[in-house]
């Protein structure tokens, strides 16, 4: 990619504009060398804040559709010719790896001591939200693996809660993803007690408020409702909900209403099964399970 800063900035702006106009271009760019180039540029030029912001933005757009990324995104083979031995040395060079995610998280945390890094931190959070959409199994999730090693990410957690509270997906370009990048991040975080511990009690209560509101407001034909039911299940399983029982009565009303719905939509049956699982596995919190 062009190395001269002025031309590189123009190219980044052009890539961003094209991504907003045509999603098919996003797929083409995802399967090109561009994500790797942008990743290296972000890592190696952190002092050039404007360029890093544009690189992070375009990278976020490229990952935003949750399309399966090629293996080359996570690293690539490097070929070096040894003149003395006349042999080609082949080595694997990591790109978007656990170490790279840790670099992004470290930068977000360091922004607390440097106000000039605030925009960079926000851009890196969006990049992580976008990148995290590509992993279906939390056990294989590079973002979660990094957080498992160092779950005490105060600034990351605070910024994430602010976005969750706004209920606006910051990485969706045109059509919203289901689940949103925010819901997907919460689902993955609450899949394990270690990553679930990222949030303080007050943050946890805010998330429960949001789950309760969504379960109350979402229609039966909305697939997002199923994701919030699953999020509730994981939260109950991997946090100390019994210490506060926050919104317990409201949650029970939501679960009861969903369970008593007529099955007029494809999602209703699966939602009811999740409700039954919640009642069965967390019977100390809810009373209705005795009637099932």
């Amino acid at each position: 990619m062009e190395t001269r800063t002025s031309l590189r900035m123009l190219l980044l702006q052009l890539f961003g504009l094209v991504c907003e106009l045509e999603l098919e271009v996003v797929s083409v760019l995802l399967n090109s060398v561009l994500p790797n180039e942008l990743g290296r540029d972000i890592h190696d030029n952190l002092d050039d804040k404007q360029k890093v912001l544009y690189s992070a933005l375009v990278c976020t757009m490229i990952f935003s559709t949750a399309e399966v990324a090629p293996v080359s995104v996570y690293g690539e083979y490097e070929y070096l010719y040894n003149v003395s031995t006349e042999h080609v040395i082949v080595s694997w060079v990591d790109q978007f790896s656990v170490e790279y995610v840790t670099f992004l998280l470290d930068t977000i945390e360091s922004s607390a001591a440097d106000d000039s890094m605030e925009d960079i931190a926000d851009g890196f959070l969006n990049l992580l939200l976008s990148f995290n959409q590509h992993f279906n199994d939390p056990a294989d999730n590079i973002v979660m693996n990094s957080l498992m090693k160092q779950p005490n990410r105060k600034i990351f957690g605070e910024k994430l809660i602010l976005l969750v509270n706004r209920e606006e997906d910051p990485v969706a370009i045109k059509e919203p993803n289901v689940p949103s990048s925010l819901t997907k991040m919460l689902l993955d975080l609450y899949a394990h007690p270690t990553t679930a511990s990222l949030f303080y009690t007050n943050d946890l209560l805010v998330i429960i408020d949001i789950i309760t509101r969504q379960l109350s407001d979402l229609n039966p034909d909305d697939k997002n409702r199923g994701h919030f039911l699953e999020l509730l299940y994981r939260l109950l399983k991997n946090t100390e909900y019994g210490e506060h029982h926050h919104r317990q009565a409201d949650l029970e009303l939501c679960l009861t209403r969903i369970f008593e719905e007529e099955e007029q939509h494809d999602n209703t049956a699966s939602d009811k099964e999740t409700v039954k699982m919640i009642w069965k596995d967390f019977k100390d919190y809810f009373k209705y399970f005795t009637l099932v």
Side-chain angles (χ1 to χ4, degrees):
M1 190 173 172
E2 175 60 51
T3 56
R4 286 169 292 183
T5 300
S6 58
L7 289 179
R8 194 179 184 98
M9 290 295 294
L10 288 173
L11 283 173
L12 288 170
Q13 292 174 32
L14 177 60
F15 283 134
L17 179 61
V18 173
C19 286
E20 287 184 334
L21 294 175
E22 186 54 66
L23 288 180
E24 290 182 4
V25 175
V26 176
S27 180
V28 173
L29 294 179
L30 176 65
N31 289 278
S32 72
V33 299
L34 186 58
N36 301 66
E37 289 287 338
L38 294 173
R40 277 191 288 267
D41 195 46
I42 291 168
H43 185 274
D44 297 342
N45 298 282
L46 197 56
D47 291 336
D48 191 338
K49 292 182 174 61
Q50 187 179 24
K51 186 166 69 168
V52 167
L53 274 173
Y54 272 105
S55 294
L57 175 60
V58 174
C59 213
T60 299
M61 288 179 165
I62 292 173
F63 288 134
S64 67
T65 61
E67 178 184 341
V68 177
V71 176
S72 59
V73 164
Y74 308 106
E76 58 190 357
Y77 287 105
E78 186 177 78
Y79 300 89
L80 298 175
Y81 180 71
N82 190 313
V83 178
S84 59
T85 62
E86 297 184 348
H87 289 155
V88 175
I89 302 172
V90 181
S91 59
W92 177 262
V93 180
D94 286 330
Q95 186 55 58
F96 285 93
S97 60
V98 171
E99 291 73 22
Y100 191 86
V101 169
T102 300
F103 153 72
L104 296 176
L105 289 167
D106 286 344
T107 305
I108 292 173
E109 294 305 303
S110 66
S111 68
D114 185 355
D115 291 341
S116 68
M117 293 295 290
E118 186 77 17
D119 290 340
I120 296 290
D122 292 340
F124 283 7
L125 174 58
N126 290 346
L127 176 53
L128 288 170
L129 286 168
S130 189
F131 184 57
N132 184 65
Q133 295 180 118
H134 295 262
F135 302 99
N136 294 321
D137 185 352
D140 299 326
N141 188 324
I142 290 174
V143 179
M144 294 302 116
N145 288 340
S146 175
L147 287 166
M148 287 280 285
K149 291 183 176 181
Q150 192 175 350
N152 186 22
R153 297 291 188 174
K154 180 175 181 290
I155 305 303
F156 171 80
E158 290 175 355
K159 288 182 174 293
L160 181 60
I161 285 295
L162 284 174
L163 291 176
V164 169
N165 222 357
R166 294 173 188 166
E167 298 182 30
E168 294 181 2
D169 191 341
V171 307
I173 298 179
K174 285 189 175 181
E175 296 296 325
N177 290 326
V178 179
S180 72
S181 68
L182 293 167
T183 307
K184 173 69 166 59
M185 181 67 78
L186 291 177
L187 282 165
D188 292 341
L189 287 169
Y190 281 108
H192 193 279
T194 300
T195 46
S197 68
L198 172 75
F199 298 107
Y200 295 108
T201 301
N202 287 341
D203 296 332
L204 175 62
L205 301 185
V206 170
I207 293 171
I208 294 173
D209 288 339
I210 292 170
I211 293 174
T212 305
R213 183 166 66 248
Q214 294 289 357
L215 293 181
S216 176
D217 294 345
L218 290 174
N219 295 320
D221 60 345
D222 194 325
K223 292 182 179 180
N224 281 299
R225 192 176 74 172
H227 293 300
F228 279 100
L229 284 169
E230 177 63 26
L231 177 58
L232 175 61
Y233 182 92
R234 295 184 185 188
L235 185 150
L236 294 171
K237 179 180 179 182
N238 293 312
T239 70
E240 300 298 331
Y241 180 77
E243 293 182 355
H244 51 78
H245 296 270
H246 185 61
R247 301 294 294 273
Q248 181 176 337
D250 294 327
L251 285 169
E252 188 157 9
L253 284 173
C254 291
L255 295 175
T256 302
R257 178 182 57 80
I258 292 171
F259 186 75
E260 293 178 344
E261 284 175 351
E262 295 183 9
E263 295 189 14
Q264 298 178 338
H265 304 279
D266 295 338
N267 304 324
T268 305
S270 61
D271 287 355
K272 286 186 177 184
E273 286 301 313
T274 306
V275 170
K276 285 166 50 173
M277 284 177 55
I278 292 172
W279 281 335
K280 175 177 177 292
D281 293 347
F282 308 106
K283 54 189 177 183
D284 292 339
Y285 303 148
F286 305 106
K287 301 174 183 177
Y288 194 87
F289 84 98
T290 55
L291 305 178
V292 177

